Amino acid sequence: MFKAAINAELLKDAIAALAVIVDEVRFKIKPEGISVKAVDPANVAMGIFELGSSAFDEYSADECEIGLDLNKITDLLGIADRNDTVRMGLEEGSNKLLIDVGGLSYTLSLLDPSTIRAEPRVPQLELPAKVVLNGADLRRAVKAAEKISDHMLMGVSGDTFYMEAKGDTDQVRLEMGRDQLIDLKAGEACSLFSLDYLTDIVKPTNKVNEVTLSLGRDFPILIDFEIANGAGRISYLLAPRIESD
Amino acid sequence: MFKAAINAELLKDAIAALAVIVDEVRFKIKPEGISVKAVDPANVAMGIFELGSSAFDEYSADECEIGLDLNKITDLLGIADRNDTVRMGLEEGSNKLLIDVGGLSYTLSLLDPSTIRAEPRVPQLELPAKVVLNGADLRRAVKAAEKISDHMLMGVSGDTFYMEAKGDTDQVRLEMGRDQLIDLKAGEACSLFSLDYLTDIVKPTNKVNEVTLSLGRDFPILIDFEIANGAGRISYLLAPRIESD
Amino acid sequence: MFKAAINAELLKDAIAALAVIVDEVRFKIKPEGISVKAVDPANVAMGIFELGSSAFDEYSADECEIGLDLNKITDLLGIADRNDTVRMGLEEGSNKLLIDVGGLSYTLSLLDPSTIRAEPRVPQLELPAKVVLNGADLRRAVKAAEKISDHMLMGVSGDTFYMEAKGDTDQVRLEMGRDQLIDLKAGEACSLFSLDYLTDIVKPTNKVNEVTLSLGRDFPILIDFEIANGAGRISYLLAPRIESD
């Protein structure tokens, strides 16, 4: 059994943050909230998603797992106004999710969870450097880097966090000192990431006040922020690329 | 002779409502106003359009018929601001329409009416059920149905008006009771319509406060609303599809 | 040596006005400001661009010439907010332009000026008629003409400035008398211009209060207006087309 009501925009934002990684996911529903762990088809990026019951206006659930097509949900939520309430219900043993938005009742067939790639194991990483910054700053640097290259270097040098992209002839670099950052834990860190992935991953951070980056030397980056006014959390883990110069 | 002045936005909206049915029309001009009856090329939808002389700031006309390319007019009106006045003039025996918008003078060659499909006869239908609702509600249901299917069922059951679409796996349904509707005349009614057509036809209803739907059992639907602040009226008649299950 | 700071939107608008003529330009940098003269690849339109040092918040320069790819600059400035300050710097003998926008540092390789078409000589023309009008009026007439034809006639007849386009069947004409214009110097003038070019050239005039047109009989038109709040100026010279009737 699963029954919940939630603000439409909040749900849209949460779904959008997941949809940058995969199209189909296994939602783990528990009495204390919903969680998802998913890896992209190329095994380069992982998303770890948690939405606690307090993000919902109403929430009651037994433990279960459902398979969802995120594109379908996104499509349906496109009809909702930002202040609409979305009501969801799932009968015991049923494979149909009932969704009600502003008087419209959807009956959505669920996917068989066993046909969706299993939850990945989240690697335990020791990431020495940590940077907390505004999501819009992160997104602006990624957008600037895209104009120049396919890859972006991210690192910490002394008390400075930097992002840098080099094209055939041109170069762009953003440096943020301790006073332009919300927080900085210095540590040796410098890794190269694919902008294809970063561009998608930082999209949902644009409205986010605090994004935490955890970094190492040629290590994955952990990009981590709150959703749903603190009631949820999404973390992305993105594998580094080997620098080729 | 035909001479008229009208608000640009009002004319744009009226032309847009006609343009969902056909590209070229015969305008019947009479001293009391303009009327058009037109059927779409596939004979599935009919539009019946009336714009009384009171919709115009100025209007004087002898009886005549002109052939108009609606795409051309729409294109020209794209230049007008919403508060501009559009002046039109037609000389006796001339086949040029003079249009003046904000200082720009267009001379538009008319089409020979005899090359445009003749006015259809409007069938006399006994449609037992009648529903009056807000145009935005109608449009929202049609948009939701489009995500799921190519067809939409519309009907009245007891005191409830419903719209329903079924896809291969999913389903959407909107029910509106007597108190969510502006008016309801109960009657046996349930017909299936092509969403291709409905999508176009309900576009102009989005700003309309009261849209009247007249329905029967596997019968055409009549979608009917005022334009030009009550000085005109447009009715669409859409043929039903045979349900295939 | 070249060092300058300027408002981002002002720079964007100035670059956009140049980019309608060419993609790559030779910027002539002098202590008193920057200038460009460029002809489009088909030799139909010329742009003469001047941006005085007073357009800049900071400006210091030795005389030099640099080759710039306008698409690259436009791309980079897309990241800037309208109130950002853009800082530029060029080392003696270096072929890299350093650009700093809101904390992002770009290092942009310059083009070798010798690979870019040389500055054209500006022809001395005696253009008898002159018209000063609002840029939005000019742009509206050009947009209306585009719907009808590929060419537009512009001329002065007595105390009236007119723009006219004729299609196969339709025609549009805008007449502006002395009192609808900001200024008019009467003189014999009537020339036909390609709307392909006019459409691009009038784009930057849309926000401009005063655009001066200098015209003759089958002569080029000079379209001339201030940029950067009067600290700069751009003139377009567009060759006439021979009327074919």
Side-chain angles (χ1 to χ4, degrees):
Chain A
M1 190 276 301
F2 167 59
K3 219 176 148 188
I6 189 168
N7 169 269
E9 195 184 13
L10 204 151
L11 184 61
K12 269 189 218 183
D13 287 351
I15 297 284
L18 256 178
V20 302
I21 302 289
V22 278
D23 292 335
E24 303 183 349
V25 288
R26 298 178 181 217
F27 270 78
K28 279 215 163 153
I29 296 174
K30 291 191 182 172
E32 59 273 23
I34 293 173
S35 68
V36 177
K37 290 196 193 91
V39 180
D40 89 291
N43 286 334
V44 173
M46 184 186 294
I48 304 143
F49 170 93
E50 269 160 42
L51 195 60
S53 61
S54 64
F56 294 81
D57 300 333
E58 282 171 44
Y59 188 91
S60 65
D62 298 328
E63 202 161 325
C64 62
E65 194 178 35
I66 62 173
L68 265 188
D69 180 331
L70 296 179
N71 292 327
K72 259 191 203 176
I73 297 273
T74 303
D75 224 20
L76 299 187
L77 292 177
I79 303 290
D81 284 331
R82 40 187 297 152
N83 293 321
D84 277 350
T85 293
V86 180
R87 291 174 185 285
M88 292 172 282
L90 182 72
E91 289 307 308
E92 198 79 43
S94 145
N95 75 332
K96 306 242 179 221
L97 186 65
L98 305 174
I99 301 180
D100 195 291
V101 189
L104 290 163
S105 309
Y106 295 98
T107 311
L108 201 70
S109 282
L110 296 172
L111 304 172
D112 179 349
S114 69
T115 65
I116 302 172
R117 208 168 158 183
E119 264 202 358
R121 215 147 31 108
V122 180
Q124 290 305 314
L125 298 168
E126 296 275 329
L127 296 164
K130 194 179 272 191
V131 175
V132 183
L133 80 172
N134 187 285
D137 284 338
L138 178 62
R139 187 152 152 73
R140 203 164 60 100
V142 170
K143 279 176 84 175
E146 281 176 333
K147 315 261 181 209
I148 304 272
S149 176
D150 295 332
H151 296 88
M152 184 163 95
L153 211 59
M154 297 174 90
V156 174
S157 165
D159 273 8
T160 303
F161 166 62
Y162 65 88
M163 297 186 264
E164 189 178 284
K166 279 183 195 168
D168 289 340
T169 59
D170 307 328
Q171 180 178 329
V172 60
R173 186 176 169 100
L174 175 71
E175 290 190 358
M176 298 179 81
R178 202 176 266 281
D179 49 339
Q180 293 159 283
L181 296 165
I182 298 166
D183 199 8
L184 174 80
K185 184 184 145 207
E188 204 202 356
C190 175
S191 307
L192 187 73
F193 301 101
S194 156
L195 279 165
D196 268 2
Y197 282 88
L198 268 182
T199 300
D200 282 345
I201 285 177
V202 303
K203 249 180 230 159
T205 69
N206 207 30
K207 302 188 210 167
V208 177
N209 287 328
E210 294 199 5
V211 178
T212 302
L213 310 178
S214 305
L215 288 153
R217 183 153 192 86
D218 290 327
F219 251 57
I221 185 171
L222 186 68
I223 300 175
D224 195 67
F225 55 95
E226 286 183 352
I227 54 175
N229 307 317
R233 191 155 196 86
I234 187 150
S235 307
Y236 299 106
L237 197 63
L238 179 64
R241 307 297 299 255
I242 304 310
E243 194 158 6
S244 54
D245 51 23
Chain B
M1 190 279 299
F2 167 59
K3 220 176 147 186
I6 188 167
N7 169 269
E9 195 183 13
L10 203 152
L11 184 61
K12 268 189 218 182
D13 286 350
I15 297 284
L18 257 178
V20 302
I21 302 288
V22 277
D23 291 335
E24 303 183 348
V25 289
R26 298 179 182 214
F27 269 79
K28 279 214 165 154
I29 296 174
K30 291 189 183 174
E32 59 272 23
I34 292 173
S35 69
V36 177
K37 288 194 194 94
V39 181
D40 90 290
N43 287 333
V44 174
M46 184 185 294
I48 304 144
F49 171 93
E50 269 160 42
L51 196 60
S53 60
S54 65
F56 294 81
D57 300 332
E58 280 171 46
Y59 188 90
S60 65
D62 297 328
E63 202 160 325
C64 63
E65 194 178 34
I66 62 173
L68 266 189
D69 180 331
L70 296 179
N71 292 327
K72 259 192 202 175
I73 297 274
T74 303
D75 224 19
L76 300 187
L77 293 177
I79 304 290
D81 283 330
R82 40 188 297 151
N83 294 320
D84 278 349
T85 294
V86 180
R87 292 175 184 285
M88 292 172 280
L90 182 72
E91 289 308 307
E92 197 79 43
S94 145
N95 76 331
K96 307 243 178 220
L97 185 66
L98 304 174
I99 302 180
D100 196 291
V101 189
L104 290 162
S105 308
Y106 295 97
T107 311
L108 200 71
S109 281
L110 296 173
L111 304 172
D112 180 351
S114 69
T115 64
I116 302 172
R117 205 168 160 185
E119 264 200 358
R121 219 151 25 114
V122 181
Q124 291 304 315
L125 298 169
E126 297 275 329
L127 296 165
K130 193 179 271 190
V131 175
V132 184
L133 81 172
N134 188 284
D137 284 339
L138 178 62
R139 187 154 153 72
R140 204 163 61 100
V142 170
K143 280 177 82 176
E146 282 176 334
K147 315 262 182 211
I148 303 271
S149 176
D150 296 331
H151 296 86
M152 183 164 95
L153 212 58
M154 299 175 89
V156 174
S157 165
D159 272 5
T160 303
F161 166 62
Y162 65 87
M163 297 185 265
E164 188 178 284
K166 279 183 195 169
D168 288 340
T169 58
D170 308 327
Q171 179 179 329
V172 59
R173 186 176 169 100
L174 175 71
E175 291 190 358
M176 298 179 81
R178 201 176 269 281
D179 49 340
Q180 292 160 286
L181 296 165
I182 299 167
D183 199 9
L184 174 80
K185 184 185 145 207
E188 202 201 358
C190 177
S191 308
L192 188 73
F193 300 101
S194 156
L195 279 164
D196 269 1
Y197 281 89
L198 269 182
T199 299
D200 282 343
I201 285 177
V202 303
K203 248 180 230 160
T205 69
N206 208 29
K207 303 189 210 167
V208 176
N209 287 328
E210 293 199 7
V211 178
T212 302
L213 310 178
S214 306
L215 288 153
R217 183 153 193 86
D218 290 326
F219 251 56
I221 185 172
L222 185 69
I223 299 175
D224 194 68
F225 56 94
E226 286 183 353
I227 54 174
N229 308 318
R233 192 157 195 86
I234 187 150
S235 307
Y236 299 107
L237 196 63
L238 179 63
R241 306 297 299 257
I242 304 310
E243 195 159 3
S244 54
D245 50 22
Chain C
M1 189 276 301
F2 166 61
K3 221 177 147 185
I6 189 168
N7 169 269
E9 195 184 12
L10 204 152
L11 184 61
K12 267 189 219 181
D13 286 350
I15 298 284
L18 257 178
V20 302
I21 302 288
V22 279
D23 291 335
E24 302 184 349
V25 288
R26 298 179 182 216
F27 269 79
K28 280 215 164 153
I29 297 174
K30 291 190 183 173
E32 60 272 22
I34 292 174
S35 69
V36 177
K37 289 196 193 92
V39 181
D40 89 290
N43 287 333
V44 173
M46 184 186 294
I48 304 142
F49 171 92
E50 269 160 41
L51 195 59
S53 60
S54 65
F56 294 82
D57 299 334
E58 281 171 45
Y59 187 90
S60 65
D62 298 329
E63 201 160 326
C64 63
E65 195 179 33
I66 62 172
L68 267 188
D69 180 332
L70 296 179
N71 291 328
K72 260 191 200 174
I73 297 274
T74 303
D75 225 20
L76 299 188
L77 293 177
I79 304 291
D81 283 331
R82 39 187 299 150
N83 294 321
D84 278 350
T85 293
V86 180
R87 292 176 184 284
M88 291 171 282
L90 183 71
E91 289 308 308
E92 199 79 42
S94 144
N95 75 331
K96 306 244 180 218
L97 185 66
L98 305 175
I99 302 180
D100 196 291
V101 190
L104 290 163
S105 309
Y106 296 98
T107 311
L108 201 70
S109 281
L110 296 172
L111 304 172
D112 179 349
S114 70
T115 64
I116 301 172
R117 208 169 158 184
E119 265 203 356
R121 219 153 23 114
V122 181
Q124 291 304 315
L125 297 169
E126 296 275 329
L127 295 165
K130 193 178 273 190
V131 175
V132 184
L133 79 173
N134 187 284
D137 284 339
L138 178 62
R139 187 153 152 74
R140 202 163 61 99
V142 170
K143 279 176 82 176
E146 282 176 334
K147 314 263 181 209
I148 304 270
S149 176
D150 296 332
H151 295 87
M152 182 163 95
L153 211 59
M154 297 175 90
V156 174
S157 164
D159 273 7
T160 304
F161 166 62
Y162 65 88
M163 297 186 265
E164 190 178 283
K166 279 183 193 167
D168 289 341
T169 58
D170 307 328
Q171 181 179 326
V172 60
R173 185 176 169 98
L174 175 72
E175 290 189 359
M176 298 179 81
R178 201 176 268 281
D179 49 338
Q180 292 160 285
L181 295 165
I182 298 166
D183 199 9
L184 174 80
K185 184 185 146 207
E188 203 201 357
C190 176
S191 307
L192 188 73
F193 301 101
S194 156
L195 279 164
D196 268 1
Y197 281 89
L198 269 182
T199 300
D200 282 344
I201 285 177
V202 302
K203 250 180 229 160
T205 69
N206 207 31
K207 301 190 209 164
V208 177
N209 286 329
E210 292 200 7
V211 178
T212 302
L213 311 178
S214 305
L215 288 153
R217 180 154 195 86
D218 289 326
F219 252 55
I221 186 171
L222 185 68
I223 299 174
D224 194 68
F225 56 94
E226 287 182 352
I227 53 175
N229 307 319
R233 190 155 197 86
I234 187 150
S235 306
Y236 300 106
L237 196 63
L238 179 64
R241 306 297 299 256
I242 304 310
E243 194 158 6
S244 54
D245 50 22

